[in-house]
Amino acid sequence: MKPLEKVRKVFREIYGFFLWFSRSKPAIILAVVLTFLLPVYVFYQAVILPASTCEREFSSGDTTEVDLPGISSDSSQDFLQTVKNIGELELEKAYLSDLLVLSKQDSAYLNLNLTDSLLLLEIKGVTVRTCPLTEIRITRRLRCLNQSQLLQWISQPFQGRADLATIPKIRYVVKEAPKDTSEAALQSAKPMPPDSSSVFFTLYFDRNLTIEVEQREDPYEGEEEEIARYHERIQNAVRQRTMRAILHRSAPEPEILIRL
């Protein structure tokens, strides 16, 4: 078959499909319904679902009273307190085990301590920077995990996958203490601080963990556009993740968001 005849055949098939489609009411109705439902589904996954499930103020005093049959109220309270203490010890053990693993590595890492509301930058187990957290919000999905699921989720340190920020990424320098002033003078200078003074950044980790960090101070004048572009990039990342899941014919797995 000649190339020109192949092209004509393809066009005839396309024309025949559209001719059949224009005469088939069920096909038209189905196409209209799918065209309407797809944007609605994307909007729900990218906007409504994160807004309804990804923000809740962190608190550590949630308790529920449970009556156990055949056991007195005081005994049941003691039993529940014992179970709670065991659960807290298991979580602390997993937390300390992760810190032990990280302390044996050469790279710097973040240590998020929700109990004490601290974000620490550490190198080989040594804290080099401590940042107190004024507000913590966590996803409700994290609270839905039972003890075994939570332990499995934090069974090993989280690995960073990507990041977004209003400030450029700069290299950090690790130095050994100089022996004297002359040796200190020969060492390289520290990295220059970023130009922007408003600090907003998002860290994406494995196991669907996302950490957003925002400064407490109001943005400086003239930096609102940069912050708006940063938030738009976050929304674009959510839309891209949703579209990839749709193309793979699967529902996007909700992220576990911690906002600091």
Side-chain angles (χ1 to χ4, degrees):
M1 183 180 295
K2 297 181 179 181
L4 184 58
E5 293 179 355
K6 292 182 179 179
V7 173
R8 290 177 178 175
K9 182 179 179 181
V10 171
F11 274 104
R12 283 197 299 268
E13 292 177 352
I14 296 176
Y15 175 77
F17 170 78
F18 280 103
L19 185 63
W20 166 83
F21 180 81
S22 62
R23 296 176 180 177
S24 177
K25 291 184 178 180
I28 295 176
I29 294 175
L30 180 62
V32 172
V33 171
L34 292 177
T35 303
F36 174 75
L37 289 180
L38 181 59
V40 171
Y41 177 76
V42 173
F43 180 79
Y44 172 77
Q45 291 289 341
V47 179
I48 297 180
L49 187 60
S52 62
T53 62
C54 287
E55 287 194 4
R56 178 175 178 179
E57 188 171 355
F58 175 79
S59 61
S60 58
D62 294 344
T63 58
T64 303
E65 294 186 0
V66 179
D67 293 330
L68 299 179
I71 302 178
S72 64
S73 177
D74 294 339
S75 299
S76 64
Q77 291 298 327
D78 293 340
F79 175 77
L80 290 176
Q81 185 62 40
T82 301
V83 172
K84 181 180 178 181
N85 293 339
I86 293 175
E88 291 176 351
L89 290 175
E90 289 178 339
L91 292 175
E92 184 177 2
K93 178 182 177 182
Y95 170 72
L96 295 176
S97 297
D98 288 346
L99 291 183
L100 180 61
V101 172
L102 291 171
S103 65
K104 298 178 180 179
Q105 300 178 3
D106 293 332
S107 60
Y109 56 90
L110 284 178
N111 176 7
L112 177 57
N113 189 332
L114 295 178
T115 303
D116 298 328
S117 299
L118 294 175
L119 183 65
L120 305 100
L121 177 64
E122 299 182 350
I123 301 177
K124 290 189 175 183
V126 178
T127 301
V128 295
R129 183 68 181 270
T130 300
C131 299
L133 305 174
T134 58
E135 183 179 357
I136 302 174
R137 293 182 177 271
I138 61 176
T139 179
R140 292 173 181 168
R141 181 168 179 260
L142 184 58
R143 291 183 174 272
C144 294
L145 299 178
N146 57 39
Q147 183 78 4
S148 60
Q149 291 173 330
L150 183 58
L151 287 173
Q152 182 179 4
W153 188 61
I154 63 173
S155 60
Q156 55 185 341
F158 293 89
Q159 300 293 328
R161 300 302 186 195
D163 59 84
L164 295 173
T166 58
I167 56 176
K169 183 184 296 185
I170 59 175
R171 298 178 61 88
Y172 64 88
V173 177
V174 179
K175 297 183 179 179
E176 295 184 358
K179 297 179 181 179
D180 49 38
T181 55
S182 59
E183 183 177 341
L186 298 176
Q187 292 185 349
S188 59
K190 63 180 181 180
M192 294 298 294
D195 296 333
S196 176
S197 54
S198 297
V199 179
F200 296 77
F201 62 90
T202 300
L203 304 175
Y204 298 95
F205 297 88
D206 57 354
R207 285 167 276 168
N208 295 317
L209 173 62
T210 301
I211 296 180
E212 293 184 6
V213 181
E214 299 181 358
Q215 67 180 29
R216 180 180 60 181
E217 297 80 9
D218 295 331
Y220 288 91
E221 184 178 357
E223 296 183 347
E224 291 82 1
E225 293 184 2
E226 177 64 27
I227 297 174
R229 286 194 294 268
Y230 161 76
H231 287 294
E232 180 63 25
R233 291 166 64 192
I234 293 178
Q235 293 300 320
N236 289 337
V238 174
R239 298 188 192 100
Q240 292 175 6
R241 185 171 61 250
T242 303
M243 291 303 301
R244 284 196 297 268
I246 293 175
L247 293 176
H248 288 84
R249 300 179 182 179
S250 62
E253 187 174 355
E255 65 180 359
I256 294 180
L257 174 62
I258 300 178
R259 181 169 292 149
L260 312 175

